[in-house]
Amino acid sequence: AIWTDASTIKGDATLLIDNNHEITLYQPRATTPPTNSSSYNIGGGNTSVHTGYLNTGFGWHNLNLLTTANYNSAFGSNCLLSVTSGGSNTAVGSGSGQNIITSSQSTSIGYEAMKGTTIATMPNGVGGANTAIGYRSLKIIEGGGNTAIGYQSGVEMTSGYQNVIIGRFSGWRRADTTVTPNIIEYDIRASNNNIVLSDGDSNVRQVIDSNG
């Protein structure tokens, strides 16, 4: 919508102004006649042709590939860019959740948080359910049910499930950073059911493995 020199407002089919001068954002599906999917997107999206509903996006190239997905919220450039049928995902920050396709119930907050995630199908059949908060947290994870909080927390986790990481632990650490080649001392990148507490320098302070 734009203001004209005559102090009036002009808009297209997505902008409705009723007799009470209330403005409603309306983005219908491309059906005949068009039907309201209760979705709205600024800067990206595929809401006019997909069959899902109640999706919300803001930012360049967000939610571009929707097909049947519902309840997704994307705020930032390239957020949830690849989601097709995955639902109930929330992404905040540029590149957050960018490659999620069919997984659901994931929350990613921060630049490139969960960016590399693809399908992430959990063993019980429920896809996704990852929670990542922090810059590049769980960036490449393909497992499900993981929680990572902190700067680059779990950034190198790959296929692990139901892990909890608090702090800057990437998913593995070297025994001695001065030795080449690297000697890996501790690695949970493809492991399950671990709890790791680390500090901001990636020093692991406490570990509880799958056996408790």
Side-chain angles (χ1 to χ4, degrees), residues 1-133:
I2 59 170
W3 289 100
T4 69
D5 291 338
S7 296
T8 58
I9 210 170
K10 289 185 176 182
D12 58 24
T14 63
L15 179 67
L16 304 178
I17 306 175
D18 61 22
N19 293 332
N20 295 322
H21 306 291
E22 294 179 348
I23 298 175
T24 300
L25 297 176
Y26 176 67
Q27 193 156 348
R29 296 191 188 120
T31 58
T32 306
T35 59
N36 188 6
S37 63
S38 299
S39 295
Y40 199 77
N41 196 296
I42 297 175
N46 195 35
T47 52
S48 65
V49 296
H50 79 94
T51 60
Y53 52 86
L54 294 171
N55 296 285
T56 303
F58 183 90
W60 185 75
H61 281 187
N62 72 86
L63 294 173
N64 272 20
L65 301 179
L66 290 174
T67 55
T68 59
N70 306 318
Y71 307 116
N72 291 291
S73 299
F75 302 93
S77 62
N78 290 313
C79 276
L80 298 178
L81 171 67
S82 303
V83 166
T84 57
S85 58
S88 302
N89 296 292
T90 300
V92 180
S94 178
S96 181
Q98 180 171 328
N99 293 314
I100 291 175
I101 300 174
T102 60
S103 63
S104 301
Q105 302 170 349
S106 289
T107 300
S108 52
I109 301 174
Y111 174 75
E112 292 189 344
M114 286 175 52
K115 177 183 177 181
T117 302
T118 54
I119 297 178
T121 302
M122 293 173 62
N124 62 7
V126 179
N130 292 296
T131 300
I133 300 175

Side-chain angles (χ1 to χ4, degrees), residues 130-160:
N130 292 296
T131 300
I133 300 175
Y135 177 90
R136 287 182 170 166
S137 52
L138 292 181
K139 180 181 177 182
I140 59 175
I141 191 69
E142 293 189 4
N146 297 284
T147 299
I149 302 173
Y151 178 83
Q152 298 200 83
S153 182
V155 65
E156 295 191 50
M157 293 292 292
T158 55
S159 58

